[in-house]
Amino acid sequence: MSLTHTPTPQPSTRPFRIGDVDLSSRFLLGTAQYPSPQVLQDAIKASGTQVLTLGLKRTLGVPGGGDNGFVQIIRDTARARGAHLLPNTAGCRSAKEAITLAHMAREILGTHWIKLEVVGDEQTLQPDPIELVAAARQLVADGFEVLPYCTDDLVTCLRLVDAGCRVVMPWAAPIGSGLGLLNPWALRTLRARLPDVTLIVDAGLGKPSHATAAMELGIDGVLLNSAVSQSGDPVRMARAFRQAIEGGRAGFEAGLMPTSDVAIATTPVGGQPFVLL
């Protein structure tokens, strides 16, 4: 085995963009399972996020859901902070169901942004790539800005881009697992093969250090929920993730040092002139 330097991603200072909207925060925050509305609002403020996600099946009165004023709280909070709403189709099992729910969201919430989820496996909550691509293609044709939640499979992501998605959201690990980046190679490959596509890591992050690692790979943003809402102090954790995301991105833009399989002296003396007294 040859001992060589491992190449690092090329730094980029391009703006973070969803559709035609430039954003200063690369942190997208979910709004489910917080201890109270006040804690949620405080966590949103601490995160500095400009994009809030909400699950349609749980909040819009569709079968199995119920509003209970939650939508209005999120609307008011988003309006006060100048944030954008990103409804999602969590819980959908087919393209047809997801498309119907997306149209409902656009009518009720007045946004054409949709986080597209079509789950194919109940245990891992892994997306169904066939139904996902079909739903994405139709929703793009219907005028939506589609942000599909998918695995880190390159071919699936390529199909989603071909369907018209300008943003792709691969997982780091299964939803709610908190395992972090299970396959950094796959994410690095996505970054290299899709240089002009906005990549947002969605699902599986459990620690601020996980978010930093994703950003250091050149990922454009991070979307998470449980790691904040289920922590002992959601407000403090939201702030920690904000700092971790900013630090990771700053490191990437500065240009990370290359890694090596062998030691390299910080102050080498070989080949350097010196004087004996």
Side-chain angles (χ1 to χ4, degrees):
M1 181 181 69
S2 63
L3 299 177
T4 60
H5 285 74
T6 300
T8 56
Q10 293 299 309
S12 170
T13 56
R14 67 177 187 171
F16 179 45
R17 176 172 295 171
I18 294 179
D20 298 320
V21 178
D22 288 339
L23 302 168
S24 58
S25 172
R26 296 174 181 268
F27 187 1
L28 291 73
L29 185 64
T31 56
Q33 298 182 317
Y34 286 81
S36 70
Q38 186 60 56
V39 171
L40 169 60
Q41 291 172 328
D42 291 344
I44 290 171
K45 181 179 180 180
S47 73
T49 184
Q50 293 173 291
V51 179
L52 299 173
T53 69
L54 66 160
L56 303 181
K57 276 183 170 290
R58 300 181 180 89
T59 60
L60 296 183
V62 297
D67 186 345
N68 297 323
F70 180 75
V71 171
Q72 193 58 49
I73 292 173
I74 299 302
R75 275 176 164 166
D76 292 344
T77 302
R79 188 179 300 112
R81 298 200 56 77
H84 301 266
L85 293 179
L86 178 60
N88 69 55
T89 63
C92 290
R93 299 296 186 268
S94 69
K96 181 178 179 181
E97 185 181 9
I99 291 168
T100 299
L101 204 54
H103 279 272
M104 183 185 299
R106 183 163 65 179
E107 182 177 345
I108 295 175
L109 297 177
T111 178
H112 70 292
W113 286 10
I114 191 73
K115 177 188 172 185
L116 180 61
E117 298 186 37
V118 185
V119 171
D121 180 73
E122 294 296 332
Q123 183 172 353
T124 64
L125 299 181
Q126 182 169 328
D128 181 326
I130 308 302
E131 295 292 300
L132 184 68
V133 172
R137 182 175 293 110
Q138 183 60 57
L139 289 172
V140 168
D142 292 342
F144 285 87
E145 190 68 53
V146 180
L147 287 72
Y149 160 65
C150 56
T151 65
D152 53 16
D153 176 68
L154 173 61
V155 175
T156 299
C157 292
L158 289 172
R159 295 292 180 268
L160 289 166
V161 173
D162 289 342
C165 297
R166 295 188 285 182
V167 179
V168 176
M169 302 202 296
W171 71 3
I175 292 175
S177 67
L179 292 172
L181 278 59
L182 293 184
N183 194 346
W185 177 87
L187 294 175
R188 190 181 298 114
T189 300
L190 287 176
R191 179 71 291 164
R193 293 296 305 278
L194 299 172
D196 299 321
V197 175
T198 297
L199 295 179
I200 299 172
V201 163
D202 176 16
L205 302 183
K207 304 174 183 177
S209 59
H210 295 161
T212 299
M215 300 304 292
E216 287 175 346
L217 291 176
I219 298 300
D220 294 294
V222 167
L223 192 159
L224 56 87
N225 191 151
S226 299
V228 171
S229 65
Q230 300 301 292
S231 68
D233 187 340
V235 178
R236 192 171 185 181
M237 187 61 74
R239 186 176 298 110
F241 268 102
R242 174 183 184 174
Q243 295 167 343
I245 291 167
E246 291 173 349
R249 183 65 189 184
F252 172 73
E253 291 182 351
L256 303 173
M257 68 172 287
T259 60
S260 173
D261 292 325
V262 296
I264 301 175
T266 304
T267 53
V269 296
Q272 302 295 319
F274 61 94
V275 176
L276 292 177
L277 299 177

